[in-house]
Amino acid sequence: MTQEEAIQKIEGACKVISLEMMKLTPNARYIREEEIAGDIMKASYQLTIELEVIKKKLIKLKGRDDSSLL
């Protein structure tokens, strides 16, 4: 597998994870235990932050690849 293929697979996984993450917060609001609902929402937020870190690193990596062609 090439680096480009790996990047594409990781980006695809990130997209799937992002779509699934969007379901957490709205559904967590229906959890009657406020503390647990809050913990779920907090963890969801942290996961989203970490997912964005991965996506930004891939963008940076792709930018390096493009600049090497010049």
Side-chain angles (χ1 to χ4, degrees):
M1 175 182 305
T2 67
Q3 179 171 297
E4 190 172 298
E5 291 170 330
I7 289 170
Q8 288 176 349
K9 287 184 183 253
I10 295 168
E11 286 177 330
C14 286
K15 183 176 180 179
V16 170
I17 294 167
S18 293
L19 292 172
E20 291 300 315
M21 292 295 295
M22 286 190 250
K23 298 175 186 177
L24 286 176
T25 300
N27 288 304
R29 293 181 181 139
Y30 293 100
I31 301 293
R32 292 185 184 126
E33 303 264 344
E34 285 186 35
E35 182 179 345
I36 293 172
D39 288 345
I40 291 170
M41 291 172 69
K42 181 179 176 182
S44 172
Y45 178 72
Q46 292 299 322
L47 286 168
T48 301
I49 290 171
E50 295 302 325
L51 188 59
E52 288 301 315
V53 168
I54 293 169
K55 290 163 57 177
K56 286 178 183 179
K57 294 290 183 178
L58 292 176
I59 289 168
K60 187 175 181 180
L61 184 60
K62 286 170 38 176
R64 282 192 204 153
D65 287 347
D66 293 342
S67 65
S68 67
L69 297 176
L70 298 176

